[in-house]
Structure formats: C-alpha cells, structure tokens
Amino acid sequence: MINFSVRLAREKPLGAAGAAICLLFLLCGIFAAWLAPYGMNEINLVNRMKAPSMAFPFGTDYLGRDQLSRILYGAQLSVIIGFCAAGLATVVSILIGVVSGYAGGRTDMLIQRFVDAWQSFPGLVILIVAVAVLGPGMPQVIGVLALLFGIAGSRIIRGAVVSVRENMYIHAAQSVGAGTQRILWRHVLPNVMPVVIVLFTSRLGATILAEAALSFLGLGVPPPAPTWGGMLSGSARTYMHQGPWLALAPGLALTIVVYAVNVFGDALRDLLDPRMRGSR
Amino acid sequence: MLAYTVRRLLALIPTIFFASLIVFLSVRLIPGSIIDLMLANNPLAVEKDRPAIEAALGLDKPLHTQYLHWAGSALRGDLGRSLWQDTPVMHEILARLPVTLELALLAMVVSIIVGIPIGVYSAIRQDTAGDYVTRSFAILLLAIPSFWLATLIMVFPSIWWGWAPELTYVPFTRDPVTNLKMLLLPAVILGTALSALNMRLMRTTMLEVLRQDYIRTAWAKGLGEGMVVTRHALRNALIPVVTLLGLEVAGVIGGSVILEQIFVLPGLGLLLLEAVSTRDYPVITGIFLIVGVCVMLINLLVDLSYGLLDPKVRYR
C-alpha cells in the first residue's frame, strides 16, 4: 500500500494529486457534521441571499441556508451514494462477468445478448424510468445506479475472465479436480482483481455524476436533502440571477471531485492494468 | 457488403427481443402494483378507476399473453394510449422524436468537428506544449456536468451583458435558421464532453497508426505532412473512433433529456419527464422502447459505415 502510494506519486503526479483530492472529499463526507458551520437545512431568513463573505464563504440561498454547509453535507450524500453504488455495481459486474466469461458457450451468448440490449438504452433514460417506477429516494437511486453501471461494466470483467480462463494454472487446477467454485475464488478472481479495482474507480466518478444529474432533474434524492445536483435545480434556479454564487459552488464541487476521481482512475489503470490503457 | 448487411441485421433480432423484454418487464416486475402507485400519485384518479386502468394496461391477463399482445401491437406501431391525454402514444412520440434526433445529431457533429482535428493535432505534435494543454483540457471537459455548464450559460451572460438564450421553440420546418440557432447552444454543451472523448481516442489511435510501416513508406516517398496525415494515417485511425461514435449515441440521447429540460425543447426527453411526473406508464414505456430501437438502428448504420471506411470489413 505504502509502496504503491510512493510509486503513484513518483510516476503519476497528477494522479496522486487526484488521489489527495479524493481523500479530502471522503473526509469532508465523513466529517461533514463537524466541519459544517451550520446545519444542512438551517433556515436563517435574516441572512437570505447573502453574497459570499467571511461568515458565509459560499453565500446563502433564498432561505438563508449556508451554502458551504450544504456543500459539505452534499459531499456526504455523494460519498454514500457514490461508494455504495459503485461498490454494488462492481459486485454486479463481477457476478455477471465471471459467470458469462467462465461458463462460455450458450450461457455466455445469452448473457451477452442481454447486455447488448441493456446497453442500447441510454443510462439516464433507464434511471428516469426506474425512478418513475420505484419512486425517488436514496436506496432506490443506489440500487438502480448499481444495476445500471453493473450490467454495463460486466463486459470488462468478462473480457478479463476469458483471458484468465485460458491460462495453464486454470487447466492445472481443473485437472487435479478442483471444483468450479474453488477455481473461481482462488484462481480467477485474484487474477482479475486489478481490473476490478480500476472498474470501481471509474464507476465512482460516473455514479456521482449520474446521481447529480438525476437529482438535478428532481428525480434523485428528494429535497430538502442538499445534493449537489439538487442545489442547482428547482427553486434555486429562480434566484440565480439575484445570487449567481448559487450557481457556482455545487457545480464546482462536482467538477473538482469527478475530475480528481477520473485522473486518479486513469493513473491507477496505467499502473495496475496496462492493457486497459486508452479504453474507458 | 450485402452478406455483411444481412448478417448484421440478423444479429439485431435477439438484441431487440431482449430490449423489448426489458421495457416490458420494467413496469411489471416492481414491488407492489403500478396501479397503486398511479392511484397514490394522482389526486385525479379514484379507486373505482382500478379495473379500467388494469384493462387499459392489459394487466388482467397472464404475463406471457400480456407480452405477446404488447409486442404484437408495438410491431404494428401501436404503443397504446396515453393514460391522461388519451392520445396514441406513437403519435405523441413521433411528434417529439425529430427534436431529440436533431439535437443529438448536432451534438455529434460538434463533437466530431472539435474532437477529431484536435486529436490529430495532439498526435502529430506529441509531447509538445500544445499536446499537453489540449490533453489536460480534455480531461477537464469530461468532468464538467452538462447541466452545470448549461446553468452557467443561462445565468452569467444575462447578468453581465443582458443576453439570454431564446427559449420559445421554433420547428425546423417553419424557420430553419432560427431553429438551428436555438439548438446550437444546447448541442455545443452536449457535444463538449463528447468531443473530449473523441479527441482522446483519436490521439491514441493516430499515434498507433503513425508508427506503422506504411506511414514510414509514405514519408520515404517524399510526401508532405498533410498528405501523409490525411490520406494515409487518418483514414485508418478513424475506424476505432467511428466505433466510439456508435457507442456514444445512447449517451447523447440520454444527455439530451437534461438539455431539453433546461432549454425547454419539446423533444422526447421533455415528454419523458412530463410522463414521469404524471406517472403516464404507456408513454414512459413507449419512449423507453423507441429510444432503445433508435439507438440500435443508429448503431447498425454506424456498423455498416465501416464497410465504406474499411475495405477489410466489406470482403469479410
């Protein structure tokens, strides 16, 4: 772990900077309640629509809610949704990818046609339809994001499994009579782990962005939860001409975090799995 | 080429089958009944509407009968009727589809015009300052959410210069110039992130092609840089980029939902959001299906276009 960090910092300084921002984002999310000067929905009508100042570094909105505090609590929501959804998505990808890649033959063909069909739908449209069916809310958003990115990402795991499957050590394990489960756990999974880690990081940025888009459309985590996407939409939009700072902080936070995650993910990919270079 | 086209068309059949299954099951495999949701979410509806809605959705029959019935009607172009407006869903969708397709097409064009030349430039000037700047800029563009970019463009120019984008939609058939002017801004916003993707892949494949023997031969023949790059390298380097363009189609149509909402463009995305807010399930499933089919057909066209770009595909 320490060796790897040193290597990251030496070979990929930009990636290391991205990792540092990711860590900062994670800490903001975990300690939001301690860091935020005000509550996430603390209404303060005396100080409504205040421009950024020492007391309110990012200004306040039409209800006098402190934007900095809301951004910090928004980081918390993004951390929870991003990590849960990307984590679950990776698990879904592994399940589908390993079954499809290791089984091969007709099973593989059927699963791949299903994945083809799934991928012909725009992600955002699947999300909107799912929310229309399940109703808005955090568990639903996490579940649907996990399924959406999980199925899409299964291709990458499948590809890795197919190339691992043909290795001599797998044939050796099969010929000494190891069970399928044992082979998958002990031989296949450890060998596709670099791909899994890279997949997880690339999904992290994508899920955070997708959740923000969904909340922006009013279909994610319902207000008054301070999601970054939600802070840019709804009633806030009517006040943006009076207080342009309302349009800045949430989008900037989102861009910086996604940028950092992407840069870190690119660096990880180059270090862990050179074969995936250039693919996204 | 004909055999290739036929093979590609046949391969589409299982995909369309699974896609229709996904659409069909999406509103039927939910915990609890859709009708409960519909009744709970719509104050206009009352409990005695239940059998009527059930019949309208065909929910009173077994699942496989429902699917066959639904798929059969869909094949004949009948996607049912809107629950609240009582208009044919297909009619509504066909009226809105051109706006979305136009926006998506313009966005793709923007992403090609911007991404490909910059990608080529970045590759032929590898490791120069210009290469670094464009590459870092591209990663940044990938991280900027389109809805934030659109929000900034709606807010700041109007504060600084009193300029705001026009928000009353004019159809292309009535006034093409105004229509294009309106769609250009959302298309540029939508195309921005895509152009970064195109640029990155164009650079990578161009660098690979430039290392090939036939490029060295072209240089050795004494051809100028313009000739080597455009005639010998670009055509070969474009093939993976065309694949990427095909994969981007779904994303562009998805992204247009957001921009249609911000710029009040009456496309499929806006229709979908309206249908979601009134829980109009026939409209939702109809759009879901049509969008999927559109993406598949566009992908088919992209695959067929390889034949034009790459003679190896034609003769396979």
Side-chain angles (χ1 to χ4, degrees):
Chain A
M1 193 69 193
I2 294 170
N3 280 341
F4 185 78
S5 314
V6 172
R7 207 180 132 206
L8 181 73
R10 192 174 302 147
E11 288 179 29
K12 302 275 170 190
L14 192 62
I21 297 174
C22 291
L23 195 66
L24 194 69
F25 162 65
L26 191 63
L27 293 176
C28 281
I30 295 171
F31 299 108
W34 284 275
L35 292 170
Y38 304 89
M40 62 173 120
N41 287 315
E42 203 177 301
I43 293 172
N44 182 349
L45 291 173
V46 182
N47 285 318
R48 61 195 296 276
M49 297 305 287
K50 282 276 187 292
S53 62
M54 285 305 282
F56 306 102
F58 292 168
T60 63
D61 67 2
Y62 62 103
L63 292 172
R65 294 178 295 190
D66 177 45
Q67 291 292 291
L68 173 64
S69 307
R70 285 175 68 76
I71 294 281
L72 287 168
Y73 280 104
Q76 188 166 54
L77 288 172
S78 289
V79 164
I80 296 172
I81 294 173
F83 277 83
C84 290
L88 282 173
T90 311
V91 173
V92 172
S93 294
I94 294 174
L95 286 177
I96 300 176
V98 166
V99 169
S100 187
Y102 191 76
R106 193 163 292 178
T107 319
D108 183 36
M109 207 278 286
L110 269 180
I111 293 178
Q112 289 314 304
R113 290 297 78 74
F114 173 77
V115 176
D116 275 343
W118 182 265
Q119 292 203 306
S120 61
F121 296 107
L124 196 60
V125 172
I126 296 185
L127 286 172
I128 292 173
V129 171
V131 171
V133 171
L134 300 171
M138 191 136 95
Q140 291 92 313
V141 170
I142 291 175
V144 179
L145 283 173
L147 202 61
L148 176 68
F149 288 105
I151 294 178
S154 68
R155 275 277 155 80
I156 293 171
I157 303 284
R158 175 188 170 270
V161 170
V162 167
S163 68
V164 164
R165 190 183 61 186
E166 296 311 321
N167 276 316
M168 201 57 95
Y169 54 83
I170 303 286
H171 294 307
Q174 283 164 341
S175 56
V176 295
T180 307
Q181 245 181 7
R182 186 184 162 84
I183 293 176
L184 290 180
W185 267 112
R186 299 293 296 267
H187 301 285
V188 174
L189 209 52
N191 283 296
V192 296
M193 227 35 210
V195 183
V196 169
I197 294 170
V198 172
L199 188 67
F200 173 78
T201 7
S202 74
R203 290 309 171 232
L204 191 58
T207 47
I208 291 173
L209 212 49
E211 180 275 321
L214 212 51
S215 294
F216 175 80
L217 292 172
L219 299 167
V221 185
T227 55
W228 291 346
M231 286 173 73
L232 286 169
S233 75
S235 32
R237 288 185 85 77
T238 39
Y239 291 90
M240 276 177 190
H241 291 269
Q242 270 181 58
W245 58 87
L246 292 175
L248 284 178
L252 207 57
L254 195 55
T255 304
I256 292 172
V257 166
V258 174
Y259 181 76
V261 173
N262 284 351
V263 167
F264 176 51
D266 277 6
L268 264 188
R269 184 186 60 205
D270 288 353
L271 293 183
L272 287 177
D273 188 27
R275 276 168 311 171
M276 278 171 77
R277 201 169 294 165
S279 70
R280 272 202 81 83
Chain B
M1 189 68 196
L2 183 71
Y4 173 67
T5 311
V6 170
R7 224 178 11 246
R8 192 59 191 71
L9 277 174
L10 286 177
L12 207 60
I13 293 171
T15 316
I16 288 188
F17 168 71
F18 275 116
S20 69
L21 220 63
I22 292 171
V23 172
F24 173 76
L25 292 177
S26 65
V27 288
R28 283 167 182 85
L29 279 188
I30 52 165
S33 136
I34 313 170
I35 298 168
D36 290 337
L37 256 171
M38 283 173 57
L39 291 176
N41 279 285
N42 201 300
L44 292 172
V46 280
E47 192 60 21
K48 73 173 190 318
D49 289 343
R50 185 178 288 269
I53 299 173
E54 223 163 49
L57 292 171
L59 289 178
D60 44 353
K61 302 184 189 74
L63 211 57
H64 60 276
T65 326
Q66 282 182 40
Y67 174 74
L68 287 178
H69 180 77
W70 175 82
S73 325
L75 277 177
R76 276 179 274 117
D78 174 14
L79 293 171
R81 302 180 84 81
S82 159
L83 285 182
W84 316 119
Q85 260 106 48
D86 201 40
T87 46
V89 171
M90 196 62 168
H91 184 81
E92 196 82 353
I93 289 177
L94 287 180
R96 304 287 198 105
L97 189 61
V99 181
T100 303
L101 288 183
E102 192 190 345
L103 179 59
L105 185 73
L106 276 176
M108 298 292 280
V109 170
V110 168
S111 78
I112 293 168
I113 294 176
V114 176
I116 288 180
I118 297 181
V120 171
Y121 167 82
S122 200
I124 57 182
R125 298 281 179 273
Q126 190 189 6
D127 294 331
T128 59
D131 179 31
Y132 280 119
V133 170
T134 47
R135 272 164 66 202
S136 330
F137 196 58
I139 313 179
L140 184 66
L141 287 186
L142 282 175
I144 300 179
S146 65
F147 58 85
W148 185 47
L149 198 57
T151 305
L152 293 181
I153 291 175
M154 298 289 263
V155 172
F156 285 91
S158 91
I159 293 177
W160 292 333
W161 310 300
W163 176 89
E166 189 61 51
L167 292 181
T168 336
Y169 180 73
V170 182
F172 185 80
T173 43
R174 195 185 306 152
D175 184 355
V177 178
T178 319
N179 172 279
L180 283 177
K181 262 196 217 153
M182 281 194 71
L183 282 175
L184 196 62
L185 188 58
V188 168
I189 296 170
L190 193 53
T192 307
L194 287 180
S195 61
L197 276 181
N198 291 346
M199 191 230 110
R200 277 161 58 112
L201 187 64
M202 189 70 237
R203 179 179 178 277
T204 313
T205 59
M206 196 70 185
L207 282 176
E208 254 160 48
V209 170
L210 285 174
R211 277 196 288 269
Q212 302 290 320
D213 287 343
Y214 58 84
I215 297 297
R216 201 180 331 136
T217 310
W219 284 119
K221 281 196 299 189
L223 294 181
E225 187 179 41
M227 199 63 169
V228 174
V229 170
T230 53
R231 285 293 290 275
H232 294 262
L234 186 61
R235 206 168 146 139
N236 287 293
L238 266 180
I239 295 163
V241 179
V242 174
T243 313
L244 180 71
L245 289 178
L247 295 174
E248 282 168 358
V249 171
V252 182
I253 293 185
S256 72
V257 175
I258 293 181
L259 289 154
E260 280 172 26
Q261 203 220 16
I262 298 175
F263 289 90
V264 209
L265 299 169
L268 272 191
L270 210 57
L271 183 65
L272 178 64
L273 292 173
E274 288 160 13
V276 166
S277 67
T278 55
R279 312 255 150 187
D280 198 337
Y281 288 101
V283 177
I284 296 173
T285 45
I287 296 174
F288 199 19
L289 183 71
I290 294 294
V291 163
V293 170
C294 278
V295 172
M296 275 182 242
L297 291 180
I298 296 171
N299 274 326
L300 176 72
L301 289 180
V302 169
D303 277 8
L304 294 180
S305 77
Y306 293 156
L308 298 176
L309 271 173
D310 186 0
K312 278 174 275 177
V313 176
R314 233 176 297 162
Y315 298 119
R316 199 158 58 201

